[in-house]
Amino acid sequence: MFNDAPQSPNAGDQTFSPPADSILRRKDFLLGTATASYQIEGAIHEDGRLASIWDTFSAIPGKVLNGDTGEVACDHYHLWEADVDLLAGLNVDGYRLSIAWPRVMDEKGQPNRKGIDFYKNLLDRLRAKGMKTFVTLYHWDLPQYLEDRGGWLNRDTAFRFAEYADLMSRELAGKVDAWMTLNEPWCSAYLGYANGHHAPGLTNIRYATQAMHHLLLGHGLAVPILRKNDPASQVGIVANVGRGTADSDSPADQRAAYLFELQHNNWILDPLLKKQIPKELFELWPGAEPLVLEGDLDIIGAPLDFLGINYYFRTNVKSDGAHGFVEAPPEGVERTQMGWEVYPQGLQDLLIGFHKTYPNLPPIYITENGMASDDEVIDGEVVDNQRLSFLNRHLAALDAAAKAGVDIRGYFIWSLMDNFEWAFGYERRFGIVHVDYQTQKRTLKRSAQLIAQFLADRNKQS
Ligand code: IFM
């Protein structure tokens, strides 16, 4: 799909020093790192954890690169105390994690004490070390027993999600600064149900639109529950957004870029912020309208305290000659180990665009941004200058959006440490901390060292 080799991880900046007027230097701006349960925890058979759709999916030959699974991952389930100390040593203001639904609740809706205690202890330790806790309820590890009843194609799953949100927010009330219902419903719906790259691996666009509706319904049902059970906490959702640019000035290509963003961004944001599903989606996907019951969009459009935005790259597109778009990857551009184009301008454009499109846009946290590179430990050091350069440029884009009036409250680097990168297994390294999967040794990459230093200096001044 992409023509250019990724840039060497060593090429790039050697500093992390946001300008004097950057929002990163503001005392109330949160700089943190993020992870997700299935990607780091391992221990998939321990303490009563039930199977998840990713256990099932990754066990199918050919679904995940090199046959990797989340069985051990970063062994965070056992190493969590040391990992919190590692985080504290980075001086970050906050940490975003997710809860593994199959670890904390059984098929009958009963709590699994050992699983819940794991998160209680983790959150207590994070807070004791002065970090804000951002907790995602659903980062893709659906219990397999729910998949066996139809997963997100079954409307009932939205109600089971609300029950799970109820249990978690009763159990963890007072320990969580911000709840996020779903991570990236686009990926759950499209990659899981339309192109089959993610669990559960189905390939029908009609399934994807129905799954999206049920995911968002589950979100909307959970919002008032979270507010009631944990009133001091903030409630939001996380959307991955894509910048689509047109390959030419032709009206057909301009329309292609418009449709790309409609399919990636408005599909999620319009129901949440306008209580509407964009009709033009079904010009792209004729006959794929989901079944929506009366009142659903009011539930989905419940006001949010914040919106989490995950941004990684842009996609340049052109018309497919019919009603859709096809990718038109530019030559000679900088790419990451994922093959994704490095395009900080896209973050700025999207944030400013959302600010204009949605008058009720809540305050924004960038809940993920970062890059994968082929990082290696050489003489005890990991030089990841391309990542530093990536972060510096995206943070400058964030500053530009903030100057244009977007209310941005924080930024989480994806990821704290190298981890299980879904269909790409362990080969793609997104961490600012390197993980040796043979020994589980963590090594701070240069990016982590410089960010820790920046935060230490910033904290001294404030
Ligand atoms: O690793 C993922 C994460 O789980 C969700 N957002 C994108 C990241 C990089 O692909």
Side-chain angles (χ1 to χ4, degrees):
M1 182 161 71
F2 297 109
N3 306 327
D4 303 88
Q7 185 176 317
S8 149
N10 294 352
D13 295 354
Q14 296 183 30
T15 57
F16 184 80
S17 182
D21 62 346
S22 168
I23 45 171
L24 257 84
R25 293 186 182 272
R26 266 181 16 202
K27 210 174 169 182
D28 57 349
F29 187 85
L30 187 152
L31 184 62
T33 64
T35 61
S37 47
Y38 192 74
Q39 295 180 270
I40 64 165
E41 284 179 3
I44 62 171
H45 301 298
E46 264 175 72
D47 292 341
R49 179 193 178 276
L50 303 176
S52 85
I53 54 173
W54 269 93
D55 301 330
T56 312
F57 187 73
S58 58
I60 302 170
K63 296 294 184 194
V64 176
L65 196 63
N66 304 322
D68 291 342
T69 74
E71 194 161 349
V72 179
C74 306
D75 203 20
H76 174 72
Y77 191 73
H78 298 115
L79 301 177
W80 64 275
E81 286 168 288
D83 286 340
V84 174
D85 294 348
L86 181 79
L87 269 162
L90 295 178
N91 306 316
V92 288
D93 307 311
Y95 176 55
R96 174 175 175 237
L97 61 105
S98 81
I99 294 175
W101 186 350
R103 207 182 272 296
V104 292
M105 194 176 193
D106 74 9
E107 198 164 346
K108 295 195 178 102
Q110 294 304 307
N112 175 16
R113 283 284 141 223
K114 285 190 173 161
I116 293 173
D117 284 350
F118 169 72
Y119 295 107
K120 280 191 174 165
N121 294 333
L122 175 59
L123 292 168
D124 283 346
R125 191 173 178 97
L126 286 163
R127 289 187 132 210
K129 302 263 178 190
M131 278 171 268
K132 298 258 189 250
T133 51
F134 277 59
V135 175
T136 312
L137 283 165
Y138 185 67
H139 199 124
W140 309 350
D141 37 5
L142 187 73
Q144 181 61 40
Y145 64 80
L146 288 178
E147 182 58 31
D148 296 341
R149 299 181 208 153
W152 290 107
L153 295 178
N154 184 347
R155 187 176 168 92
D156 186 58
T157 299
F159 293 85
R160 299 289 74 77
F161 177 73
E163 275 178 18
Y164 158 59
D166 181 38
L167 175 67
M168 283 303 99
S169 51
R170 278 188 283 114
E171 291 285 345
L172 303 180
K175 299 181 190 295
V176 175
D177 290 287
W179 290 98
M180 288 148 290
T181 52
L182 308 175
N183 178 67
E184 303 183 352
W186 187 91
C187 294
S188 301
Y190 194 85
L191 304 180
Y193 290 86
N195 75 9
H197 291 180
H198 280 188
L202 302 179
T203 52
N204 185 327
I205 190 62
R206 295 188 58 204
Y207 292 170
T209 60
Q210 194 62 60
M212 175 66 87
H213 183 64
H214 292 154
L215 281 153
L216 294 180
L217 182 63
H219 153 81
L221 291 167
V223 168
I225 296 171
L226 295 167
R227 282 199 205 296
K228 180 171 153 281
N229 291 347
D230 197 4
S233 170
Q234 303 276 294
V235 179
I237 183 171
V238 173
N240 57 309
V241 295
R243 178 70 174 127
T245 54
D247 201 40
S248 79
D249 289 339
S250 77
D253 288 353
Q254 296 292 321
R255 170 94 185 144
Y258 168 80
L259 288 173
F260 175 90
E261 290 197 0
L262 187 87
Q263 198 254 63
H264 283 79
N265 309 337
N266 304 69
W267 187 16
I268 294 98
L269 298 182
D270 282 13
L272 292 170
L273 300 175
K274 288 186 170 172
K275 302 188 179 182
Q276 283 169 13
I277 302 175
K279 288 204 171 52
E280 282 168 298
L281 272 181
F282 308 106
E283 289 173 25
L284 272 174
W285 304 324
E289 289 86 348
L291 180 65
V292 177
L293 301 191
E294 203 182 328
D296 283 2
L297 287 162
D298 283 327
I299 295 171
I300 291 171
L304 298 167
D305 297 323
F306 70 95
L307 177 67
I309 291 288
N310 295 353
Y311 173 77
Y312 286 94
F313 60 95
R314 78 148 170 183
T315 307
N316 193 57
V317 294
K318 60 185 181 186
S319 165
D320 67 356
H323 296 295
F325 56 83
V326 287
E327 290 188 25
E331 303 268 343
V333 295
E334 181 187 345
R335 295 189 183 280
T336 71
Q337 192 193 17
M338 296 295 282
W340 295 347
E341 182 183 347
V342 178
Y343 193 74
Q345 180 72 37
L347 179 60
Q348 178 179 336
D349 294 344
L350 287 169
L351 291 175
I352 294 172
F354 298 151
H355 180 58
K356 289 187 182 143
T357 310
Y358 302 108
N360 56 343
L361 186 73
I364 301 286
Y365 283 89
I366 304 302
T367 33
E368 287 181 27
N369 178 234
M371 59 162 282
S373 55
D374 188 11
D375 301 317
E376 284 177 276
V377 184
I378 298 171
D379 298 332
E381 303 248 8
V382 185
V383 177
D384 60 340
N385 293 341
Q386 191 193 2
R387 179 170 291 103
L388 278 163
S389 164
F390 179 101
L391 295 173
N392 285 332
R393 285 176 285 162
H394 283 79
L395 287 163
L398 206 64
D399 272 326
K403 286 202 177 100
V406 187
D407 181 358
I408 307 162
R409 304 280 172 95
Y411 176 92
F412 291 84
I413 298 167
W414 185 269
S415 176
L416 166 64
M417 56 185 153
D418 297 336
N419 58 50
F420 177 78
E421 177 51 27
W422 308 111
F424 296 96
Y426 295 100
E427 214 181 79
R428 307 293 153 94
R429 293 183 176 271
F430 273 93
I432 56 171
V433 174
H434 181 277
V435 177
D436 178 331
Y437 295 110
Q438 303 305 314
T439 60
Q440 292 297 343
K441 182 172 169 14
R442 278 75 161 135
T443 305
L444 300 198
K445 299 181 189 178
R446 178 179 279 176
S447 57
Q449 291 171 349
L450 294 184
I451 289 163
Q453 188 58 53
F454 163 74
L455 287 169
D457 294 345
R458 187 206 64 178
N459 294 345
K460 257 187 245 151
Q461 282 158 19
S462 49

